[in-house]
Amino acid sequence: MGKIFSLTLLSILLLVFDLYIYKAILDIYPKWTELKKKKFKYIWWTYSIALILGVFISIFFNIFLWLRAVILVSFFITFVSKLCFVPMLLIDDLRRLITKVFRKKEIQNTSIEPVGQENSISRSEFLVKSGIAIAAIPFSTLTWGIAYGAHDYRVRKQTLILPNLPASFDGIKIAQISDIHSGSFYNKRAVLGGVEMLLNEKPDIAFFTGDLINGKASEMRDYQDIFSKVKAPLGVFSVLGNHDYGMYEKWKDEASQKKNLNDLKLTHKNMGWQLLNNENKRIKINNEEIGILGIENWGGGRFPKFGRMQDAIKNTDDLPVKLLLSHDPSHWKLQVLKEYPQIDVMFSGHTHGSQFGIETDHFKWSPVQYIYEEWDGLYQHEHQQLYVNVGYGFLGYPGRVGILPEITIFELKKA
């Protein structure tokens, strides 16, 4: 019921925006012929109504994934663009109201400004056309983010200084990807291109830090072969994220959800990835060892806390360096820093960098920073470090603007 209510409310709001904008556009083009007005009317309302109907169909019926993505993204872009348009119309209406109050003797026979008042009409036309220009900004930006940003993979390189690092591990390379969300993909060739970028870096170890799917293990059917190519001489290690448990899907019973999770775990195995569920693995080079620890999802707030750190750290006291894979970065401050000082570096994902923001060499901003203090890149508290990868895939909005999909390459260095 909550989903139906939300969609209905958004649809009503969009129709209100549509009516408001539709009338404003007709007002600034009084010389349009009746035929032109009729064509505009049919195009405008056919698109809006078809889009709303499409959203309900895509949500409640089993249609092609790519078609669902097109419909939902079109709705999102349309809604945001019109939402940006409306304030300019409100400004114009406020101006009209003020004009009416101070010049009521001149316009007492009409609720709008007389056509003969050239200056007033020009101001209205300016504001409406300004609204169109403003609405075009999110429309073009979000469209660009789908066409180019979604698969514009970047390799970010990061040195990790570890005072206790054994000499045999000095200089080894670790690759990290996170938040694949295979259920959102629609371009296999582009996804493969990102995997090839990772392999070109020739990492010694590879990490995947959760959210392989949106909710159903079957989403990996078309992508298992691609991600099976992710290999590293010392192993590929992975953990589960909040979406991997199928918690956001509707299941006929608990057994179906459990089977889905087991199928997903089997997918990790079939790809040659070592899934760490509250456990650890030792990596050995020249009789020297470090530990790779992995826990199930542990997040703040409403997110599940399935991770058990006590199990993950068992029999690791003798290891000089411990690297922890934990999907949600909130785990770092809420538990790791407080209770587990033996963890040297934690590797996370989850935030996606909101898939929207600004990032340069000297500045970064995203709306997600108001939810997660640690949301992108490297963080340090005393001797402990956290790295947050902004994700390989996308969820919801099938694109990225400013915050691009990430492949991280770490080099371990002894202090």
Side-chain angles (χ1 to χ4, degrees):
M1 289 299 293
K3 184 184 290 186
I4 296 175
F5 176 78
S6 298
L7 283 175
T8 302
L9 185 62
L10 285 174
S11 298
I12 292 172
L13 194 57
L14 181 60
L15 287 173
V16 171
F17 289 168
D18 278 335
L19 183 61
Y20 195 23
I21 296 169
Y22 173 76
K23 288 185 174 180
I25 292 174
L26 288 182
D27 283 347
I28 67 168
Y29 293 110
K31 294 182 180 180
W32 275 3
T33 64
E34 287 302 315
L35 179 61
K36 196 167 187 178
K37 288 179 181 179
K38 186 176 290 187
K39 286 181 178 178
F40 176 67
K41 175 182 178 181
Y42 286 147
I43 292 171
W44 183 268
W45 291 109
T46 299
Y47 173 79
S48 294
I49 293 171
L51 187 60
I52 291 171
L53 290 175
V55 169
F56 280 91
I57 291 171
S58 68
I59 291 295
F60 297 107
F61 294 92
N62 187 22
I63 64 174
F64 291 114
L65 183 62
W66 66 267
L67 181 58
R68 178 182 297 176
V70 168
I71 293 171
L72 293 178
V73 171
S74 298
F75 183 87
F76 174 72
I77 292 176
T78 301
F79 187 89
V80 172
S81 299
K82 290 179 179 177
L83 182 63
C84 292
F85 195 159
V86 166
M88 298 305 294
L89 301 183
L90 291 173
I91 290 172
D92 185 44
D93 281 346
L94 180 61
R95 181 191 65 78
R96 288 169 182 261
L97 179 62
I98 293 172
T99 300
K100 184 177 180 179
V101 169
F102 287 98
R103 300 173 60 191
K104 58 184 178 180
K105 289 183 180 181
E106 299 178 24
I107 58 173
Q108 59 185 351
N109 295 323
T110 179
S111 60
I112 61 173
E113 297 152 16
V115 174
Q117 292 190 3
E118 199 170 302
N119 290 337
S120 295
I121 286 292
S122 66
R123 283 195 292 270
S124 290
E125 188 172 342
F126 170 76
L127 288 170
V128 173
K129 289 184 176 179
S130 295
I132 294 173
I134 291 171
I137 294 173
F139 181 85
S140 57
T141 300
L142 294 171
T143 302
W144 180 91
I146 297 168
Y148 300 102
H151 302 292
D152 189 10
Y153 301 105
R154 59 171 178 172
V155 174
R156 295 179 67 176
K157 297 190 176 182
Q158 178 71 55
T159 301
L160 293 177
I161 307 297
L162 301 171
N164 298 325
L165 186 70
S168 298
F169 288 85
D170 190 25
I172 73 163
K173 292 167 69 174
I174 298 175
Q176 181 197 7
I177 55 174
S178 190
D179 299 88
I180 287 173
H181 288 286
S182 57
S184 299
F185 286 145
Y186 53 84
N187 188 333
K188 291 178 68 175
R189 186 174 180 179
V191 173
L192 175 59
V195 169
E196 290 173 342
M197 288 175 65
L198 183 154
L199 295 175
N200 287 339
E201 296 295 324
K202 295 180 170 53
D204 300 292
I205 305 172
F207 292 159
F208 172 68
T209 45
D211 278 1
L212 188 63
I213 57 173
N214 292 344
K216 293 183 177 178
S218 58
E219 296 166 15
M220 278 296 291
R221 184 180 297 116
D222 293 333
Y223 292 93
Q224 180 173 309
D225 289 345
I226 292 176
F227 288 102
S228 293
K229 296 179 184 295
V230 177
K231 305 290 184 186
L234 298 177
V236 180
F237 301 91
S238 58
V239 292
L240 299 173
N242 54 298
H243 277 267
D244 294 323
Y245 298 92
M247 298 175 64
Y248 311 112
E249 301 289 333
K250 290 183 178 178
W251 304 100
K252 62 180 182 180
D253 51 41
E254 188 177 340
S256 298
Q257 184 176 356
K258 186 176 180 180
K259 182 182 182 302
N260 184 73
L261 180 57
N262 289 333
D263 289 345
L264 183 66
K265 291 177 180 179
L266 183 60
T267 299
H268 283 254
K269 183 179 179 180
N270 290 339
M271 293 192 299
W273 296 7
Q274 299 182 57
L275 182 61
L276 302 178
N277 287 324
N278 308 313
E279 55 191 309
N280 63 76
K281 295 289 183 180
R282 290 170 175 255
I283 304 296
K284 189 173 184 178
I285 302 178
N286 298 329
N287 294 320
E288 293 183 306
E289 294 181 318
I290 64 172
I292 311 296
L293 291 65
I295 69 163
E296 295 191 61
N297 194 85
W298 198 107
R302 61 186 176 89
F303 293 105
K305 295 177 173 60
F306 297 137
R308 300 190 301 274
M309 281 294 293
Q310 284 299 326
D311 292 342
I313 64 170
K314 280 182 180 178
N315 304 316
T316 61
D317 290 344
D318 62 310
L319 294 172
V321 167
K322 302 175 187 65
L323 307 179
L324 172 66
L325 311 188
S326 179
H327 177 67
D328 192 321
S330 64
H331 182 217
W332 192 56
K333 276 190 174 176
L334 292 176
Q335 188 181 64
V336 174
L337 290 185
K338 293 178 179 179
E339 302 175 30
Y340 299 96
Q342 65 269 53
I343 299 300
D344 295 280
V345 187
M346 177 171 136
F347 299 83
S348 295
H350 185 60
T351 71
H352 296 210
S354 196
Q355 297 171 210
F356 180 88
I358 301 169
E359 188 164 23
T360 69
D361 291 339
H362 306 290
F363 175 79
K364 61 183 179 181
W365 173 89
S366 168
V368 79
Q369 71 186 57
Y370 304 112
I371 302 173
Y372 291 94
E373 187 176 347
E374 294 81 26
W375 61 277
D376 175 15
L378 187 66
Y379 301 86
Q380 184 159 358
H381 178 75
E382 296 179 353
H383 69 281
Q384 294 180 279
Q385 299 178 73
L386 164 71
Y387 190 88
V388 184
N389 179 297
V390 296
Y392 189 91
F394 43 82
L395 183 67
Y397 167 57
R400 287 174 175 265
V401 178
I403 305 296
L404 300 178
E406 176 179 353
I407 300 159
T408 319
I409 303 297
F410 301 95
E411 182 179 12
L412 302 188
K413 298 295 291 183
K414 186 175 177 65

